[in-house]
Amino acid sequence: MTTLSRPETLRLFIAVDLPPEGLSPLSYLIQGLRESYVHGIRLVAAQNIHLTLKFLGDTNRERLPSLIAVIDELGTQVTPFTVRLGAVGGFPNLKHPRVLWVGLAGMIQSVTELAHLVEDVCHSIGFQRQIQPFSPHLTVARMGAAASPEDRKKAGKILLSLPWERGIPVPIESFTLIKSTLTPRGPIYKTLHTVPLSLPPNPSLP
């Protein structure tokens, strides 16, 4: 009697990887948090920082071809754009944060529209829609279960006190399908597919 193997599942999400000009200032911010020695804080490795457009979760590997096909088609319908690094913040707030982040500014409507388009094409092939509204941000740290209310408050104060320059431009020219493998030392990310944004801009009127 043959035992059928279970389908392989991959933990997937779709995100925008940041170019070096965006990652560099974020790495300095993370280093400042590291040097502050806040108890219970879990810093994100700079190379792992990304702008999540949609979390897909555990996905049967057999669904990859149809998923890649729809996001590739989407890439041909979107023009590259530029956002800017914005203010620092926390969820739910900086007095008792669970997550510390850097916001985005500038062409927020463009990145929001991209996230909605990704949501639509994924839903068209059977993925569930996200319940929470899209909130563009870059996570730099999370507060673990060991962090006390005082630790959380301290982390928020330190984040606000660190040198930070808003307005640094971050060009967005592609997005990626990423596999996440959870380990005791944190997640390991592997890019499975990159989708360039390739719709040319409208020609300028004379």
Side-chain angles (χ1 to χ4, degrees), residues 94-167:
L94 281 178
K95 291 184 177 180
H96 301 286
R98 287 181 288 102
V99 175
L100 302 175
W101 47 260
V102 170
L104 297 176
M107 299 183 69
I108 298 301
Q109 182 177 354
S110 294
V111 74
T112 300
E113 288 177 355
L114 176 59
H116 290 166
L117 290 170
V118 168
E119 188 75 52
D120 288 343
V121 299
C122 290
H123 184 256
S124 73
I125 57 171
F127 287 94
Q128 291 187 347
R129 291 188 180 276
Q130 293 182 166
I131 297 175
Q132 294 182 337
F134 176 68
S135 175
H137 66 279
L138 306 168
T139 298
V140 294
R142 296 178 177 86
M143 302 304 297
S148 68
E150 290 76 18
D151 294 326
R152 296 171 189 271
K153 187 174 183 179
K154 178 182 177 181
K157 285 185 175 180
I158 290 173
L159 182 63
L160 287 173
S161 71
L162 292 172
W164 178 246
E165 180 183 352
R166 302 187 194 184

Side-chain angles (χ1 to χ4, degrees), residues 159-178:
L159 182 63
L160 287 173
S161 71
L162 292 172
W164 178 246
E165 180 183 352
R166 302 187 194 184
I168 295 173
V170 179
I172 296 180
E173 299 175 344
S174 65
F175 63 91
T176 55
L177 175 64
I178 301 173

